[in-house]
């Protein structure tokens, strides 16, 4: 019997093939457009787009222009502040995921909660759920990294372990898993924008995941593969423009 806590999910109908196809598409785009011709500015743009999308999903009404000009609403500012620090936590995720989850919340909620509430689970049950999720991230699961990221996202978003900003933290943790597990080492995808583009499906499938049923978790897994493909399409990466050949 497998000791991998997520093996059962990867074995459900359509999951393995959906994630294989999505990963192939991501790898092709990153190889052809990303790894050869990107710089830190492209990563910064992807993070800013993601921060805006995450903020909107959390209730912000700010535009991407508002954020870029430093005049977004409080939720947008919280998401942007978190996006600026998330990648620095990559090494720590591989060693202490629980501390990373706490740090993500502390940064996101820094202007909204008292210091003694930052990074602290709401109650013992929330703390236990976070600990279990951290053990999964730290463990030797062999499921695709994209699937692990989807589970991390949905668990944090639906358990809502913190007093605030759970959605923003969940989406930041998702992005961090994609970076740390080598799917998107330069953080050029915009998974948050994928979720925003598919908002109705996103919110519906999170509600399904929250039921804890196999059907709900299965539906979320299939949805997330689609959202990641969309998030790659919405990356700031652009096709390489080749000069036209003049007709002779």
């Amino acid at each position: 019997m497998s000791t991998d806590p997520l093996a059962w999910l990867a074995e459900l109908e359509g999951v393995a093939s959906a994630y294989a196809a999505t990963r192939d598409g991501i790898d092709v785009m990153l190889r052809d457009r990303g790894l050869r011709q990107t710089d830190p500015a492209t990563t910064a743009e992807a993070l800013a787009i993601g921060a805006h999308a995450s903020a909107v999903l959390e209730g912000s009404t700010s535009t991407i222009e508002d954020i870029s000009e430093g005049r977004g609403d409080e939720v947008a500012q919280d998401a942007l502040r978190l996006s600026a620090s998330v990648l620095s936590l990559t090494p720590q995720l591989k060693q202490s995921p629980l501390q990373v989850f706490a740090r993500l919340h502390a940064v996101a909620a820094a202007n909204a909660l008292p210091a003694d509430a930052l990074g602290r689970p709401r109650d013992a049950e929330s703390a236990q759920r976070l600990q279990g999720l951290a053990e999964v991230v730290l463990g030797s699961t062999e499921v695709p990294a994209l699937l692990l990221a989807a589970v991390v996202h949905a668990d944090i978003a639906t358990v809502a372990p913190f007093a605030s900003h759970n959605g923003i933290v969940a989406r930041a943790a998702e992005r961090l898993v994609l970076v740390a597990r080598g799917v998107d080492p330069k953080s050029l995808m915009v998974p948050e924008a994928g979720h925003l583009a598919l908002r109705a499906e996103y919110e519906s499938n999170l509600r399904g995941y929250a039921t804890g049923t196999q059907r709900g978790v299965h539906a979320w897994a299939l949805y997330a593969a689609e959202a990641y493909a969309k998030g790659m399409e919405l990356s700031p990466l652009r096709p390489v423009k080749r000069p036209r050949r003049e007709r002779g």
Side-chain angles (χ1 to χ4, degrees), residues 174-196:
E174 173 183 64
R175 179 184 280 271
L176 197 51
V177 171
L178 297 176
V179 173
R181 292 286 177 134
V183 175
D184 182 21
K186 290 191 175 184
S187 203
L188 300 169
M189 291 174 60
V190 193
E192 305 93 337
H195 296 309
L196 181 58

Side-chain angles (χ1 to χ4, degrees), residues 21-36:
T22 298
R23 180 63 187 266
D24 286 347
I26 291 170
D27 287 348
V28 167
M29 183 170 286
L30 290 178
R31 182 178 65 246
D32 290 350
R33 303 178 189 173
L35 299 181
R36 293 182 300 179

Side-chain angles (χ1 to χ4, degrees), residues 21 169 219 241:
V169 170
K241 292 184 178 180

Side-chain angles (χ1 to χ4, degrees), residues 211-230:
T211 66
T213 63
Q214 178 173 304
R215 180 179 179 180
V217 176
H218 187 192
W220 167 260
L222 294 175
Y223 155 79
E226 181 183 359
Y228 293 145
K230 189 67 174 178

